[in-house]
Amino acid sequence: MEKYIGYVEHIIFQNKENGYTVFELTCEDDDYTCCGICQGLENGDHVELEGVETDHPMYGVQIKISAIKVLALEDAVSMERYLASGAIKGVGPSLASKIVKKFGDKTFDIIEQQPERLVEIKGISERIARQIWEQMEEKKGMREAFLYLQKLGISNNLALKIYNYYGAGMYSAIEENPYRLAEDIPGIGFKIADEIAGSLGINVDSDYRIKGGILYALQQIMSEGSLFCEKDRLVNIASEILSVDPDGVEPMLMNLAMEKRLIIKNENGLAAVYSTIGYYGEMACATMLNELQMFYKGMRGETITSEVLRKEIKSVTDTLDIDLDEIQLEAIEGSLNNGVFVLTGGPGTGKTTIINTILKIFETRGMDIMLAAPTGRAAKRMEEATGFEARTIHRLLEVGGLIETDKRSPRFQRNSSNPLECDVIIVDEMSMVDEFLFKSLLEAIAPGTVFIMVGDVNQLPSVGPGQVLRDVIESECFPVVKLEKIYRQSEDSHIIYNAHRINNGQSITLDNKSRDFFFLERNDVRVIYKHMVQLITEKMPAYVNCRPDEVQVLTPMRKGNLGVEILNEILQKYVNPPEFDKVERQFGDRILRVGDKVMQTKNNYQLEWKAERRNIVIDRGVGVFNGDIGVIKEINMNAEIVTVCFDDERLVDYPFSGCEELEHAYAVTIHKSQGSEYPAVVMPILSGPAMLMNRNLLYTGVTRARQCITILGSRDKVGEMIENKNDFRRCTGLKLRIIEVVRDY
């Protein structure tokens, strides 16, 4: 990594949204073309940067920037360069030279404090002097802010966000309480704010610091899926993060509660600490669910008798030529007689049959129906199974960027003031829906709409906080039908059979006599690699008639020899090797190559996508979400764009600077696979922490396979996972909020 100090001679290109900039840098020894993320950079800036020299196939030698900071303009030479750069309209090289020749090192002081003296220079009128002063004043605030923030160790990107948010009030805001930055500015967490506070000399036992540490600790707990934390545990976690005595943390916790920035509730004798948004989010969900049920019942009046409903159901099942047993009939009746209804069950228990029957009845009644699922893959499966259009929940709610006042949360066009226009909403894979998406969905459902939730409560919970489906079921406040009998099972199939045995804590037979459930005992990691590659590239594609990229490796972990990171590196080499006509590009320690299978790693509510048919755009929208999987279709080195086609045929153009949101997806964690189904699955099970390697995880992985699954690894470890019932029960309060609301209604 080389260091370069010089002046920005000319900005060639600058993306205002992400800050990606290409510019000419003039140094004492030579001129360089530099590129990288440089928010707020201007012609004439004096900068110090670190970077690596690369050879671009089209643009030649460039410096790829890893770090950059703007230096103060303190001498006549740097001031002249700045003025001559075009940063100040109306001032070119000739006039800049005259100004600096007249005033020397005091040039900026004269312009800012005595601008009338500029008329002493031939060619500058009072009007031009005023214009120069106004532009310098306009840029002075940002220039000084950047220098101030750089001294605190803040990058240009974050400095621009801070300046744009606080403006001239930035200095007082930071010096009074730098921990505000973690709450106000996306991209700045507690750790960065704490470093800034240390630079400012703020004491480690400062009230602001302790409060910030408590909020950070609770945020970390929410990132693990819980909505609250027991008070004493939260105090201990925060004191450990802050390296202060717990006795100094608890008073600040109570102060935060008095300031309404935290909520402390007595939950069955437990002092539970919620974030404000978490608690009121759960309360809102409980209230809206109850209102949907009560409004529907009030609107319908008397419940339709079972006899009448059975006749209606029979007329439809005769048309569909299907026979239903009693529990299936109860499920259909429940969906027809309630405003809120839950249908749950494992694979092969007939959920799709019931949904199709319900859809036919609602369609016969002339009702408008909307179907949705949390992911594109799940929505596509739902659409294929029902013949009805199904969308992701985000698309259903018409996501459109970020909320202006928040910059973290998605902005949905469909909400309480613009609800969804339909009579029935059915959402599949509800176990994947987190608390905040659930709240947004409920806000968009108008009273009188039938809301049916479908899912498998035994799968892993949502990536985001909450366990919505489990809490709604366990509240026992809304009708629920649980399907347990297996209908979809032939004599030759063991995927569904074994999945149910795993879920029930029963051992499974691993004798390879099945046609779709295989086990290879392998205890050497290198041998597992070898057989995994053979399975993916040769055996499984031929066995189930699919492409190698359709065979999915599912692993419990990200790290380790059988974790996502190492497996993807190995699998890319064999599944999509480099070829002469395949464009590829290095991004940090990864190579992205045309044909690579990739995954979006975070929710991006601003990325634009389009869908095409025969090269004609048929749909457009915004939003690509955590867990979406696609294939790289093109890497345009000239435009510096990577084009990815996602599973639901959305095409997304990523600028090179945005490719950090993509990672290879030849192997993904079992958690990230939820809602998906693959023709064939390979699952390495050898070792791992006991808390992670549990029944819940194994069950979820097995149920992702449609035609074939092969487990590579240890027979004993598979048995241990079946016996390990630890399913990471999250700390959530939705169940209790529902009970409270229904009881008090």
Side-chain angles (χ1 to χ4, degrees):
M1 196 80 68
E2 296 291 328
K3 183 177 287 188
Y4 303 83
I5 298 176
Y7 296 89
V8 178
E9 189 69 31
H10 172 57
I11 292 179
I12 300 169
F13 168 80
Q14 189 167 55
N15 185 321
K16 297 294 185 184
E17 290 186 6
N18 60 30
Y20 183 78
T21 307
V22 181
F23 62 93
E24 294 295 336
L25 181 72
T26 297
C27 301
E28 286 186 5
D29 59 341
D30 205 349
D31 293 344
Y32 301 91
T33 300
C34 305
C35 55
I37 304 298
C38 310
Q39 291 275 23
L41 199 67
E42 291 187 334
N43 286 331
D45 278 345
H46 190 202
V47 299
E48 178 183 301
L49 63 87
E50 291 182 0
V52 176
E53 188 177 283
T54 61
D55 193 357
H56 192 285
M58 176 63 67
Y59 303 116
V61 176
Q62 294 183 333
I63 307 301
K64 296 291 183 183
I65 300 167
S66 61
I68 184 170
K69 64 179 179 179
V70 178
L71 304 176
L73 300 172
E74 296 176 336
D75 58 74
V77 174
S78 61
M79 292 177 188
E80 182 176 343
R81 281 187 175 275
Y82 179 79
L83 293 172
S85 69
I88 305 298
K89 291 180 181 178
V91 179
S94 176
L95 192 54
S97 176
K98 291 178 182 178
I99 294 172
V100 174
K101 187 176 181 180
K102 174 73 175 175
F103 300 116
D105 291 349
K106 295 183 178 179
T107 295
F108 278 13
D109 290 337
I110 295 295
I111 294 174
E112 291 166 4
Q113 298 170 22
Q114 298 175 284
E116 67 278 1
R117 289 195 58 191
L118 290 173
V119 298
E120 298 174 15
I121 297 165
K122 187 176 180 180
I124 297 182
S125 64
E126 289 185 7
R127 180 180 61 82
I128 293 174
R130 185 170 59 254
Q131 289 176 350
I132 293 172
W133 173 78
E134 287 173 349
Q135 290 183 71
M136 287 291 288
E137 281 297 299
E138 183 182 329
K139 295 176 183 293
K140 177 185 176 183
M142 181 179 290
R143 197 167 61 246
E144 290 180 347
F146 272 45
L147 292 171
Y148 171 81
L149 293 170
Q150 281 176 0
K151 290 176 182 176
L152 297 177
I154 298 173
S155 70
N156 269 14
N157 298 339
L158 292 180
L160 186 63
K161 289 182 180 180
I162 294 170
Y163 182 76
N164 287 341
Y165 186 88
Y166 293 113
M170 178 192 78
Y171 303 97
S172 58
I174 292 174
E175 289 172 9
E176 179 186 347
N177 177 17
Y179 297 97
R180 283 182 57 186
L181 296 171
E183 298 178 53
D184 296 339
I185 312 295
I188 295 184
F190 173 79
K191 290 184 178 179
I192 293 177
D194 202 31
E195 289 174 6
I196 295 169
S199 301
L200 293 170
I202 292 177
N203 293 332
V204 294
D205 59 353
S206 155
D207 290 356
Y208 288 130
R209 182 171 186 268
I210 294 174
K211 287 179 180 179
I214 292 169
L215 295 173
Y216 172 69
L218 189 56
Q219 185 183 56
Q220 293 300 105
I221 288 161
M222 289 179 68
S223 72
E224 296 169 0
S226 292
L227 267 298
F228 72 78
C229 182
E230 192 274 321
K231 189 183 79 169
D232 290 344
R233 178 169 177 255
L234 180 61
V235 167
N236 289 332
I237 292 172
S239 68
E240 193 171 315
I241 290 170
L242 295 164
S243 298
V244 298
D245 193 279
D247 291 342
V249 174
E250 187 163 353
M252 292 302 105
L253 180 66
M254 304 311 294
N255 283 353
L256 285 168
M258 292 174 65
E259 294 167 10
K260 307 295 185 186
R261 296 169 71 189
L262 292 178
I263 304 292
I264 302 178
K265 284 280 292 183
N266 187 323
E267 308 283 38
N268 296 327
L270 185 75
V273 184
Y274 291 84
S275 69
T276 305
I277 190 173
Y279 176 78
Y280 286 113
E282 286 191 329
M283 181 59 77
C285 289
T287 301
M288 288 185 285
L289 276 174
N290 187 54
E291 287 175 350
L292 280 175
Q293 180 75 314
M294 293 299 101
F295 189 94
Y296 185 83
K297 289 198 169 186
M299 181 181 71
R300 288 289 303 275
E302 291 186 11
T303 301
I304 301 174
T305 64
S306 178
E307 183 180 355
V308 172
L309 284 177
R310 294 286 172 107
K311 287 181 180 179
E312 185 178 15
I313 295 168
K314 188 174 188 310
S315 67
V316 170
T317 55
D318 287 347
T319 304
L320 297 174
D321 193 26
I322 56 174
D323 292 318
L324 302 175
D325 64 17
E326 186 60 29
I327 191 72
Q328 291 175 310
L329 289 168
E330 287 179 15
I332 295 170
E333 282 188 47
S335 68
L336 299 175
N337 253 336
N338 290 280
V340 176
F341 178 74
V342 179
L343 178 66
T344 184
T349 55
K351 295 193 296 293
T352 300
T353 300
I354 292 171
I355 291 171
N356 282 330
T357 307
I358 292 168
L359 287 171
K360 188 66 177 176
I361 294 171
F362 283 136
E363 189 180 32
T364 303
R365 291 180 176 182
M367 300 173 79
D368 292 325
I369 306 160
M370 288 185 175
L371 306 185
T375 67
R377 277 180 176 255
K380 189 175 181 180
R381 284 173 50 211
M382 194 180 190
E383 189 168 296
E384 290 169 350
T386 64
F388 281 71
E389 180 190 8
R391 287 172 280 182
T392 65
I393 296 173
H394 284 90
R395 288 192 70 184
L396 185 77
L397 299 180
E398 299 175 18
V399 66
L402 297 169
I403 296 173
E404 284 300 317
T405 55
D406 187 324
K407 296 298 185 184
R408 289 180 175 90
S409 303
R411 182 180 70 248
F412 294 114
Q413 305 299 323
R414 293 293 182 174
N415 48 48
S416 57
S417 58
N418 182 31
L420 295 163
E421 297 171 4
C422 63
D423 302 306
V424 181
I425 293 175
I426 303 177
V427 179
D428 198 7
E429 298 288 356
M430 273 297 302
S431 63
M432 295 179 64
V433 178
D434 67 46
E435 199 74 46
F436 300 120
L437 183 58
F438 189 53
K439 177 175 177 287
S440 296
L441 175 62
L442 289 174
E443 286 172 342
I445 301 178
T449 305
V450 176
F451 179 38
I452 299 172
M453 292 173 272
V454 183
D456 184 352
V457 76
N458 293 308
Q459 286 190 30
L460 293 169
S462 57
V463 174
Q467 47 184 9
V468 169
L469 183 62
R470 185 185 295 274
D471 280 351
V472 171
I473 291 171
E474 292 185 355
S475 73
E476 299 182 352
C477 292
F478 302 102
V480 176
V481 170
K482 184 176 182 181
L483 305 174
E484 295 178 321
K485 181 179 177 181
I486 304 173
Y487 297 93
R488 178 164 53 92
Q489 180 199 350
S490 71
E491 293 179 359
D492 298 325
S493 173
H494 283 82
I495 292 176
I496 294 171
Y497 175 74
N498 281 338
H500 284 271
R501 288 189 66 83
I502 291 167
N503 190 44
N504 293 327
Q506 299 169 310
S507 62
I508 57 177
T509 302
L510 302 174
D511 58 8
N512 291 328
K513 293 181 180 180
S514 164
R515 292 189 180 180
D516 63 358
F517 198 107
F518 302 100
F519 174 78
L520 299 178
E521 179 89 37
R522 302 289 185 270
N523 293 301
D524 186 312
V525 170
R526 289 168 297 181
V527 175
I528 289 176
Y529 293 156
K530 175 185 172 183
H531 286 287
M532 187 181 293
V533 170
Q534 289 177 338
L535 286 166
I536 294 169
T537 59
E538 301 170 19
K539 298 186 180 299
M540 294 184 90
Y543 189 70
V544 303
N545 190 28
C546 72
R547 301 187 309 272
D549 66 280
E550 292 180 296
V551 180
Q552 186 62 58
V553 175
L554 301 181
T555 179
M557 301 161 290
R558 286 197 59 83
K559 304 289 185 181
N561 290 329
L562 292 175
V564 164
E565 294 173 3
I566 290 177
L567 288 180
N568 273 318
E569 188 177 334
I570 294 168
L571 294 173
Q572 182 198 31
K573 181 179 177 182
Y574 291 97
V575 179
N576 187 35
E579 294 178 10
F580 177 75
D581 59 346
K582 276 185 186 175
V583 182
E584 62 179 50
R585 196 208 192 255
Q586 182 102 22
F587 292 90
D589 57 356
R590 298 173 301 137
I591 292 175
L592 293 184
R593 181 179 299 135
V594 170
D596 271 345
K597 189 176 181 180
V598 291
M599 174 187 283
Q600 173 76 12
T601 59
K602 60 183 285 190
N603 288 339
N604 188 323
Y605 303 105
Q606 295 174 297
L607 261 180
E608 297 181 357
W609 57 263
K610 63 183 177 182
E612 295 181 344
R613 188 171 296 156
R614 295 178 181 174
N615 294 323
I616 298 173
V617 176
I618 59 172
D619 198 7
R620 290 184 183 275
V622 294
V624 184
F625 307 106
N626 188 359
D628 285 354
I629 290 179
V631 174
I632 295 177
K633 291 298 183 185
E634 181 184 6
I635 299 178
N636 189 321
M637 300 297 282
N638 297 331
E640 299 196 335
I641 294 291
V642 174
T643 301
V644 178
C645 181
F646 286 96
D647 287 331
D648 48 6
E649 305 305 317
R650 291 173 300 154
L651 289 167
V652 179
D653 288 338
Y654 288 82
F656 281 2
S657 58
C659 286
E660 72 274 3
E661 294 184 7
L662 292 173
E663 68 177 25
H664 291 110
Y666 299 102
V668 302
T669 61
I670 294 172
H671 213 136
K672 282 286 183 75
S673 73
Q674 288 183 94
S676 299
E677 193 175 71
Y678 312 97
V681 166
V682 178
M683 196 156 56
I685 301 291
L686 186 60
S687 62
M691 287 188 66
L692 178 66
M693 307 293 279
N694 59 43
R695 182 188 304 174
N696 209 206
L697 192 83
L698 183 62
Y699 172 79
T700 301
V702 167
T703 55
R704 300 307 91 205
R706 185 166 63 244
Q707 295 172 256
C708 179
I709 183 170
T710 300
I711 297 175
L712 280 165
S714 163
R715 188 184 304 269
D716 290 342
K717 180 56 70 173
V718 172
E720 289 173 17
M721 290 181 75
I722 294 171
E723 292 176 6
N724 183 4
K725 199 178 177 181
N726 179 1
D727 61 355
F728 301 115
R729 288 301 291 257
R730 297 177 169 188
C731 296
T732 62
L734 180 60
K735 169 186 170 181
L736 294 173
R737 301 292 83 76
I738 291 172
I739 293 170
E740 289 171 1
V741 168
V742 172
R743 180 191 62 207
D744 296 339
Y745 188 78

